[in-house]
């Protein structure tokens, strides 16, 4: 079996090839037994056991939400970052 994992043409260091998986409907997200990746880069603090993509470049786990690789505590915080004029 493969021993290395790549995002496009860049090797993902420390990825566990034996447990690595990509979400086909959201290929910008992937995970192995220890880490979650966004576009080939680890998402700090993301939990691979509970992680789930939920939209275009948006995902969540048991503790947080992520948009474009950035961590947010709530979905409201994402909306505030995207639409600051409309969300208090």
């Amino acid at each position: 079996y493969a021993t290395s994992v790549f995002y496009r043409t860049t090797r993902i260091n420390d990825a566990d090839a034996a447990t690595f998986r990509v979400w086909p409907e959201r290929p910008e997200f992937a995970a192995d037994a220890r880490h979650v990746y966004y576009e080939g880069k680890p998402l700090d603090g993301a939990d691979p056991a509970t992680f789930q993509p939920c939209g275009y470049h948006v995902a969540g786990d048991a503790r947080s939400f992520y948009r474009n690789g950035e961590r947010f505590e709530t979905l409201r915080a994402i909306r505030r970052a995207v639409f600051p004029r409309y969300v208090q």
Side-chain angles (χ1 to χ4, degrees), residues 45-68:
D47 176 23
T50 61
F51 187 85
Q52 200 61 246
C54 54
Y56 184 70
H57 295 271
V58 177
D61 64 16
R63 297 180 297 255
S64 302
F65 293 93
Y66 303 86
R67 178 180 174 268
N68 293 335

Side-chain angles (χ1 to χ4, degrees), residues 20-37:
F20 193 83
R21 66 191 186 281
V22 175
W23 278 269
E25 69 281 3
R26 296 287 174 227
E28 66 272 21
F29 294 109
D32 62 21
R34 297 169 299 187
H35 302 99
V36 175
Y37 303 91

